[in-house]
Amino acid sequence: MFITVPLLDLKAQYATLRHEIEPVVREVIESQYFIGGPRLAAFEKNVAAYCQSSHALGVSSGTDALLLALMALGIGAGDEVIVPVYSFFATAGCVSRLGARPVFVDIDPKTYNINPELIEAAITPKTRAIIPVHLFGQLADMEAISHIARKHNLFIIEDAAQAIGSADEKGRRAGTFGDIGCFSFFPSKNLGGFGDGGLVTTQNEELHTKMLYLKNHGAHPKYYHKMIGGNFRLDALQAAVLDVKLKYLDQWTAGRQKNAAFYNKALASGELIRPFAVEGYRHIYNQYTLRSQRRDDLLAYLKENNIGCEVYYPVTFNNQECFKPLGYKSGDFPVAEQIAREAISIPVYPELNDDQKSYVVEKLLAFSA
Ligand SMILES: *Cc1c(COP(=O)(O)O)cnc(C)c1O
């Protein structure tokens, strides 16, 4: 039997939604109302409720969500912001873009999220904020991080780009712990648009208003600029598509969780290290990430067998060329650097069928035998 398993199959998802999405897209096109408008307002209301957040604003990408959050908190030259050394580039890149300094902290060897025990040693009088990342769809230890932030009077910006709807054991959702939560609707995220998009959430009315202005060049009213912002808007077309998809997000999350449980059980024997799920947390499995000391061989082997896989992420921030001026060395962050050598993500998207999953497991077990 010839089986191929892509890392993600967005066509399979679209096939189930075409009949609902095409009419709303056509409606936006017919209205010729592409910026703001009722579709955006409806989506912002619905997604705020989904995130259990008092406020939500659609923005142009997850990257711009982070940039906007940092701008709203007034972070810039001379400031330091603590970030995990292992994440997608934007987490640290946005800090540098504003002239502030990203300060790297190593990760927890089990969850791969920022290790709270190492945060206080990285705090200096210049530290203004911490950006925990809820990597692969699982919350960072927000209780410990919030405690540190309160003690040192620091802001928290949650990078929840991979974690919409993920929650702690009390059911508290990503994006509601910190001052601002940042989300991405990049097509490969659990809630993906038809292009770029993102979201900021906050429980703080003042920050909400400030971000509302900043995403429109700081204007209020139009053409009267209170502050210098940018164009960080979410298109009405994207909002319309995302609002349709949002209704299915819990169903898709359940599918991802089911697939992860299947892999966890099937891979219990063998040399591969499975993802660690914190007891009681709602992990939404944006990625199902294994570890192998023979990672590069495994990557080649899976690709030969038509199984999509990817390394998130092969290079920690301290080893990125653009961050050389920060003065870190290779080896400064032993846990993250080891994970970067060993991590490999395999298909976990909800539309995977039983044959595909069994095939993936069969090949993984054959590799580690
Ligand atoms: C995807 C992602 C981003 C950036 O989102 P974009 O919408 O691609 O700009 C930021 N942080 C993390 C952790 C991400 O996974």
Side-chain angles (χ1 to χ4, degrees):
M1 190 166 37
F2 182 79
I3 294 186
T4 166
V5 193
L7 183 58
L8 180 64
D9 186 355
L10 288 171
K11 284 185 183 166
Q13 187 193 72
Y14 183 56
T16 68
L17 295 177
R18 180 181 280 112
H19 66 288
E20 271 189 84
I21 289 182
E22 285 186 352
V24 300
V25 166
R26 207 172 305 123
E27 185 201 296
V28 175
I29 294 172
E30 289 301 329
S31 78
Q32 291 289 299
Y33 206 131
F34 295 120
I35 306 292
R39 286 283 174 189
L40 177 66
F43 173 62
E44 287 178 336
K45 182 163 167 280
N46 293 333
V47 77
Y50 186 85
C51 294
Q52 299 173 351
S53 200
S54 9
H55 306 283
L57 288 169
V59 296
S60 32
S61 69
T63 302
D64 285 347
L66 289 164
L67 196 64
L68 177 61
L70 288 160
M71 288 170 79
L73 297 173
I75 287 163
D79 295 333
E80 293 180 357
V81 177
I82 290 174
V83 303
V85 73
Y86 182 67
S87 177
F88 178 63
F89 178 74
T91 312
C94 289
V95 175
S96 294
R97 282 173 67 184
L98 290 171
R101 179 186 172 91
V103 173
F104 305 141
V105 167
D106 210 346
I107 56 173
D108 177 276
K110 280 192 186 148
T111 63
Y112 316 147
N113 281 323
I114 192 167
N115 186 341
E117 287 174 17
L118 304 175
I119 291 177
E120 282 197 295
I123 294 173
T124 77
K126 294 179 177 172
T127 310
R128 299 278 317 283
I130 308 173
I131 309 184
V133 179
H134 308 313
L135 201 69
F136 302 147
Q138 177 163 254
L139 279 189
D141 184 348
M142 292 312 296
E143 195 177 317
I145 295 164
S146 303
H147 178 78
I148 296 165
R150 268 196 306 274
K151 183 170 155 197
H152 296 271
N153 200 20
L154 306 175
F155 294 117
I156 296 176
I157 299 170
E158 295 174 65
D159 184 339
Q162 303 180 4
I164 187 163
S166 79
D168 70 4
E169 74 284 358
K170 294 179 189 134
R172 282 194 65 178
R173 293 206 162 177
T176 62
F177 296 88
D179 296 279
I180 299 172
C182 300
F183 296 82
S184 167
F185 303 127
F186 186 80
S188 68
K189 310 289 171 157
N190 290 32
L191 179 62
F194 286 3
D196 282 308
L199 188 83
V200 286
T201 55
T202 181
Q203 317 315 309
N204 179 322
E205 174 91 47
E206 218 172 294
L207 279 175
H208 168 75
T209 306
K210 195 165 179 194
M211 290 194 287
L212 181 65
Y213 298 162
L214 283 171
K215 68 179 262 202
N216 287 296
H217 286 295
H220 182 74
K222 211 171 174 182
Y223 306 123
Y224 291 80
H225 298 266
K226 281 185 146 26
M227 50 193 107
I228 297 170
N231 172 356
F232 303 132
R233 295 183 295 258
L234 180 71
D235 287 338
L237 272 170
Q238 297 300 341
V241 169
L242 290 163
D243 207 27
V244 171
K245 286 193 170 196
L246 181 62
K247 292 187 297 217
Y248 297 94
L249 185 53
D250 280 336
Q251 183 182 317
W252 294 333
T253 296
R256 286 172 181 270
Q257 290 168 335
K258 193 168 145 239
N259 294 341
F262 177 86
Y263 285 143
N264 282 340
K265 194 158 170 233
L267 300 173
S269 60
E271 65 173 44
L272 299 169
I273 299 176
R274 295 164 295 161
F276 177 84
V278 178
E279 181 77 34
Y281 276 24
R282 184 178 196 239
H283 193 325
I284 65 156
Y285 291 100
N286 178 245
Q287 299 298 338
Y288 184 91
T289 303
L290 293 163
R291 276 170 63 193
S292 167
Q293 289 182 11
R294 298 186 286 146
R295 193 270 312 278
D296 293 341
D297 292 342
L298 178 57
L299 198 70
Y301 173 82
L302 291 179
K303 288 194 169 153
E304 264 165 40
N305 286 284
N306 304 307
I307 296 171
C309 50
E310 189 64 75
V311 173
Y312 302 113
Y313 297 91
V315 186
T316 52
F317 292 154
N318 61 307
N319 289 324
Q320 292 289 357
E321 186 178 342
C322 66
F323 290 137
K324 286 245 169 76
L326 295 175
Y328 292 102
K329 294 187 307 296
S330 187
D332 283 352
F333 302 92
V335 177
E337 288 172 71
Q338 182 180 353
I339 307 301
R341 284 191 298 271
E342 298 184 353
I344 177 168
S345 297
I346 62 168
V348 72
Y349 63 89
E351 295 83 6
L352 279 175
N353 64 40
D354 290 347
D355 287 343
Q356 288 175 312
K357 277 184 280 185
S358 300
Y359 176 72
V360 171
V361 164
E362 180 196 316
K363 292 296 164 192
L364 286 169
L365 292 177
F367 176 82
S368 52

